[in-house]
Amino acid sequence: MSQSQKKEQPLKTGDGRTRNDSERDQPGTPRDPILNYIVENPEAFAENIAKMLSHANSALTAYVKPMQDGEVKSDYTDELTEWTRTLSRVGHYWLADPRRAFEAQTRLATEWMSLYAHSLQRMSGEPTAPVAEPDPADKRFKDPDWSGVQFFDFLKQGYLITTRWAEKLVSETDDLDPHTRQKAEFYVRQLSAALSPSNFILTNPELLRETATQSGENLAKGMQMLAEDVARGHGELRLRQSDPDKFAVGVNMALTPGKVIAQNDVCQVIQYDAATEDVAKEPILIVPPWINKFYILDLNEEKSLIKWLVGQGHTVFVCSWVNPNEHHADKDFTHYMREGILFALETALLAADAEKMDVVGYCVGGTLLAMSLAYMARNGDKRANSATFLTAQVDFTHAGDLKVFVDKDQLETLEKKMRAKGYLDGAAMASAFNMLRANDLIWPYVINNYIRGKEPFPFDLLYWNSDSTRMPAANHAFYLRNFYLENLFAKGELTVDGLTLSPGDITVPIFNVATKEDHIAPAQSVFRGNAMFGGTADFVLTGSGHIAGIVNPPARNKYQVWTGGESGQGLEHWVATAKETPGSWWPLWDEWLTAHRSGERVPARTPGGGHFTPLEDAPGSYVKKRY
């Protein structure tokens, strides 16, 4: 060995490491970031990769099993065709004109050249400002190495430059009708979310670091969870957002005491036990959405609107909808009105020995309630004392991103698929809702579950969110076509039993709650509909979104509520002139209910009131049905 070779050979320390290793670990010595991404145990890494491949085979087996068993799997051809057709409209606009095409290419190339220049300056040690920075609220790029390690910083900025360029192309495409533009914007957001470098191991410093540190054990666990979720979804990925083994309806959720006092093919009627010696004369009937289940209003003792209402001295009834199958295929909105709301109303009034009651509708349950109240008004039925709407739309002009999925062609395709089964599978609606907030409700869980190999945090609200329900084919088609597509109710053109119905038919006092960050029933949409009612309608705006804004117990002292703004000049003016009160809207509603009642109190009621023999304990069996 030559003298030069001897000099180049690192000296060993007493623990068998090289001097360079020892010096690297000395306090104050900077650690090379690249060392964080080296697999510490190659043998264990190889074993875990083998386990991952074995679990991948299990996932593939679970995926093809329904086809082997002769079951019809979901066909996404029509959806992909719709995406391609919509985005091709954008592409055609920019490519059809050479000048526009050159302008678009130049804009992107200029940004990338700036990024290359930034990278060269940084490599030479010169201070330089980033070309593109993520939004401060964007949680995907919070790890320090997204900025500290130049490779990942380059990926991050390149991604931001390209996706923002694509979004701008859509916004500047002049020949798109509003609906096509909304679809194109939505599709680009979905693609941008899916292609983020934060979603892949080799381009996410945090994931790469964890994989190296754990010698790939996270990948083996993640693939095992993927196989389990594909099997649980019968060949479709059923993304777990919460630990499914930590919650059970009737065990640690939906625990407010009560009885099922009546049922039919569409719903069960639940009456809850009184918690006070006397109660208000007018009982309350809650009509929840049938997309998901009613226990969102009875999650647990701390978050239960139902329990809170009972505690305030109200007699509470709830309409618990069936989780339908093919036998419910022909049950449309009018069936849900007659066999749901009107059946529950008649049952509740008889059980409570009352002449009038306050009715509450949440989300699509509120839309059905509005139609039912208009129908009752046209028939001279005065059994409703007041109405409360929770994030419910009666006008669908500004119905938000869910309108992306509703146009003539898409609806005809969906109706054809629903007729084949008799229902829309719950997973389809769950996916649509999750796509509205893909960076919050899809990709974080894909990363956490299938790459990090970690069980999701046990969160009751997300457990409920994953407990989806089917929609009868006729019901869902009626809803989408008459409300979302044609907006007939708001136009005063919705016909039921030969009667033309509109929100203006409803003259009972109304308490109308919207939430500020709602993606499903946008506040603008609810506010617009509020002006269409035929009587006094008090619009109320609360903080947070579609669920958290409604399920907001006073004891938590979260968010805020706005009331009493000036109408007639738009939502922004209403908010600017409204009174803001910290905390929950529940106490304000309780005061409103009291002000719109007779003021009479009666002895506490027992479930059934002697007119009905209780069938089973709350929350009943319908809500526990899963497919």
Side-chain angles (χ1 to χ4, degrees):
M1 182 180 294
S2 67
Q3 289 295 324
S4 62
Q5 287 175 317
K6 288 181 180 179
K7 288 180 181 177
E8 291 172 1
Q9 190 140 27
L11 297 175
K12 297 278 188 177
T13 61
D15 58 4
R17 298 184 298 167
T18 68
R19 178 177 292 177
N20 289 341
D21 289 332
S22 181
E23 289 174 350
R24 184 185 65 200
D25 293 340
Q26 291 299 317
T29 303
R31 177 180 172 88
D32 189 339
I34 199 65
L35 297 174
N36 295 324
Y37 306 106
I38 296 176
V39 174
E40 297 181 358
N41 189 334
E43 184 178 347
F45 182 78
E47 292 178 1
N48 285 319
I49 293 300
K51 291 179 182 179
M52 182 191 76
L53 294 174
S54 175
H55 293 314
N57 184 63
S58 299
L60 182 60
T61 301
Y63 174 76
V64 301
K65 187 177 185 301
M67 290 183 284
Q68 294 174 337
D69 294 343
E71 297 179 22
V72 178
K73 285 182 62 65
S74 299
D75 181 5
Y76 298 103
T77 304
D78 295 314
E79 287 81 357
L80 292 173
T81 301
E82 186 65 30
W83 280 54
T84 303
R85 181 166 54 236
T86 300
L87 295 178
S88 66
R89 289 277 304 276
V90 177
H92 179 267
Y93 173 82
W94 289 97
L95 295 175
D97 184 337
R99 182 184 58 80
R100 279 200 298 260
F102 179 75
E103 176 190 338
Q105 294 167 5
T106 301
R107 188 188 305 170
L108 180 62
T110 300
E111 291 285 309
W112 272 94
M113 289 302 295
S114 298
L115 178 57
Y116 285 128
H118 164 80
S119 300
L120 290 173
Q121 286 180 289
R122 182 170 175 177
M123 289 176 66
S124 64
E126 297 179 30
T128 176
V131 178
E133 294 186 273
D135 187 286
D138 193 338
K139 301 176 183 178
R140 295 174 295 175
F141 304 108
K142 295 298 185 184
D143 189 275
D145 280 2
W146 279 113
S147 299
V149 177
Q150 188 167 354
F151 170 73
F152 297 116
D153 184 51
F154 183 86
L155 289 174
K156 174 191 69 179
Q157 293 195 59
Y159 164 76
L160 294 173
I161 287 170
T162 305
T163 54
R164 289 169 182 173
W165 171 80
E167 290 170 359
K168 196 168 184 180
L169 288 186
V170 175
S171 67
E172 295 180 357
T173 301
D174 293 334
D175 65 349
L176 297 180
D177 62 87
H179 181 64
T180 302
R181 184 183 306 280
Q182 185 182 26
K183 287 195 295 182
E185 290 172 346
F186 181 79
Y187 296 156
V188 168
R189 286 199 302 271
Q190 298 308 309
L191 289 171
S192 297
L195 296 175
S196 171
S198 59
N199 297 338
F200 306 96
I201 300 171
L202 296 179
T203 55
N204 183 327
E206 196 170 2
L207 299 180
L208 189 58
R209 195 167 56 240
E210 287 186 20
T211 301
T213 302
Q214 298 180 36
S215 299
E217 184 179 3
N218 56 311
L219 302 181
K221 290 181 178 178
M223 189 57 71
Q224 181 180 3
M225 292 174 66
L226 178 66
E228 293 170 354
D229 289 353
V230 173
R232 196 161 55 92
H234 303 289
E236 303 282 345
L237 176 61
R238 182 171 292 181
L239 181 66
R240 66 180 88 177
Q241 297 173 317
S242 180
D243 189 335
D245 299 323
K246 292 294 190 294
F247 300 102
V249 176
V251 177
N252 57 0
M253 309 183 85
L255 296 179
T256 302
K259 302 289 184 182
V260 175
I261 61 170
Q263 69 181 41
N264 59 22
D265 197 35
V266 165
C267 73
Q268 289 186 316
V269 180
I270 301 172
Q271 180 179 356
Y272 288 91
D273 296 346
T276 54
E277 291 185 1
D278 60 8
V279 294
K281 180 181 178 181
E282 294 83 1
I284 294 174
L285 171 63
I286 298 176
V287 182
W290 52 90
I291 301 171
N292 291 98
K293 298 176 179 177
F294 85 86
Y295 67 89
I296 185 60
L297 301 176
D298 192 25
L299 279 178
N300 57 46
E301 290 190 358
E302 289 74 32
K303 299 179 183 178
S304 174
L305 175 60
I306 293 172
K307 179 179 175 60
W308 186 85
L309 284 171
V310 169
Q312 305 307 305
H314 300 285
T315 304
V316 178
F317 295 84
V318 168
C319 181
S320 175
W321 302 105
V322 69
N323 194 352
N325 54 36
E326 61 276 7
H327 300 298
H328 298 86
D330 295 327
K331 299 287 187 182
D332 66 9
F333 240 55
T334 61
H335 290 90
Y336 269 52
M337 177 183 73
R338 294 188 183 91
E339 299 173 41
I341 290 180
L342 298 182
F343 169 74
L345 181 66
E346 183 177 353
T347 300
L349 287 173
L350 184 58
D353 193 21
E355 296 179 355
K356 288 192 171 188
M357 71 188 314
D358 299 302
V359 288
V360 184
Y362 188 5
C363 188
V364 65
T367 303
L368 176 66
L369 176 61
M371 187 189 86
S372 302
L373 288 170
Y375 179 83
M376 291 167 63
R378 292 297 307 276
N379 282 287
D381 188 335
K382 301 182 182 298
R383 290 178 293 174
N385 179 63
S386 74
T388 297
F389 296 108
L390 309 178
T391 63
Q393 300 176 95
V394 295
D395 177 82
F396 287 76
T397 304
H398 302 294
D401 280 340
L402 280 178
K403 291 189 75 173
V404 165
F405 304 103
V406 185
D407 54 42
K408 187 174 181 294
D409 292 337
Q410 290 187 91
L411 187 52
E412 287 177 355
T413 299
L414 179 61
E415 288 174 340
K416 181 179 178 181
K417 290 182 177 180
M418 290 193 297
R419 283 195 296 269
K421 284 186 173 182
Y423 56 83
L424 177 67
D425 193 80
M429 281 304 299
S431 296
F433 286 132
N434 287 340
M435 288 173 71
L436 298 182
R437 296 172 54 200
N439 282 330
D440 294 320
L441 296 176
I442 297 179
W443 298 110
Y445 295 98
V446 171
I447 293 169
N448 181 78
N449 300 357
Y450 309 133
I451 301 179
R452 285 182 169 160
K454 295 180 179 179
E455 287 280 355
F457 185 77
F459 188 15
D460 50 12
L461 194 152
L462 287 177
Y463 175 86
W464 167 86
N465 188 59
S466 65
D467 190 8
S468 56
T469 56
R470 294 169 169 176
M471 270 67 70
N475 179 302
H476 203 55
F478 186 103
Y479 178 50
L480 295 181
R481 184 169 293 280
N482 290 285
F483 290 92
Y484 267 94
L485 183 63
E486 299 178 6
N487 203 17
L488 294 181
F489 188 51
K491 296 175 181 177
E493 300 174 2
L494 182 67
T495 302
V496 176
D497 289 350
L499 299 173
T500 303
L501 309 179
S502 79
D505 296 324
I506 305 170
T507 58
V508 296
I510 290 172
F511 190 86
N512 197 7
V513 183
T515 59
K516 197 170 187 181
E517 301 169 16
D518 201 326
H519 296 270
I520 297 170
Q524 175 66 32
S525 181
V526 177
F527 181 78
R528 179 183 170 93
N530 193 70
M532 297 181 176
F533 294 116
T536 302
D538 294 323
F539 180 77
V540 177
L541 183 66
T542 182
S544 196
H546 193 75
I547 303 301
I550 298 300
V551 184
N552 183 26
R556 303 180 73 187
N557 198 29
K558 294 183 68 175
Y559 312 129
Q560 61 281 111
V561 57
W562 291 267
T563 56
E566 295 178 1
S567 301
Q569 299 185 49
L571 178 60
E572 288 187 7
H573 179 77
W574 186 94
V575 174
T577 56
K579 176 185 177 182
E580 180 179 344
T581 305
S584 173
W585 60 275
W586 295 7
L588 295 173
W589 180 40
D590 187 45
E591 293 174 7
W592 185 91
L593 286 171
T594 300
H596 290 82
R597 286 174 168 168
S598 65
E600 296 181 45
R601 309 286 292 183
V602 298
R605 300 171 169 116
T606 57
H611 296 281
F612 300 94
T613 301
L615 304 176
E616 59 180 317
D617 291 335
S621 54
Y622 282 18
V623 74
K624 296 178 183 179
K625 180 65 177 177
R626 305 187 74 162
Y627 293 103

